[in-house]
Amino acid sequence: MSLKDFDKLEEKISRLVNASKMIREENQKLRKELHAIKHDASQREGEKSEIKKKIAALIELVDSIEE
């Protein structure tokens, strides 16, 4: 292998390492975003459940007035 070939190899390895670092950073960013989205969805699901309970209680209250 010539010195030129080693230079090309070094350049390719350097690009590969940089691409790997970028992918790792993007992956961490996406994992954080996914965690935040799941947290929001969980919170909304809890709120939705509470609203359903309150509606059911109000319906029961209205039904008890009719009796």
Side-chain angles (χ1 to χ4, degrees):
M1 247 185 173
S2 70
L3 191 55
K4 216 179 238 187
D5 291 336
F6 279 116
D7 288 341
K8 287 179 184 179
L9 179 60
E10 182 182 13
E11 182 183 328
K12 288 179 180 182
I13 290 173
S14 179
R15 282 189 283 169
L16 181 62
V17 168
N18 288 334
S20 178
K21 286 179 182 178
M22 288 175 54
I23 290 170
R24 185 174 289 120
E25 289 170 2
E26 181 70 14
N27 190 20
Q28 288 175 345
K29 177 184 166 193
L30 291 172
R31 285 179 188 265
K32 287 179 183 177
E33 288 178 15
L34 179 61
H35 178 73
I37 289 170
K38 284 183 177 181
H39 178 72
D40 288 347
S42 176
Q43 190 174 14
R44 287 184 184 166
E45 196 61 37
E47 291 171 356
K48 187 176 164 183
S49 177
E50 287 298 314
I51 290 170
K52 284 181 179 181
K53 288 177 187 177
K54 288 181 181 184
I55 289 173
L58 290 171
I59 290 172
E60 285 181 30
L61 182 60
V62 169
D63 287 346
S64 71
I65 294 172
E66 293 176 354
E67 293 177 358

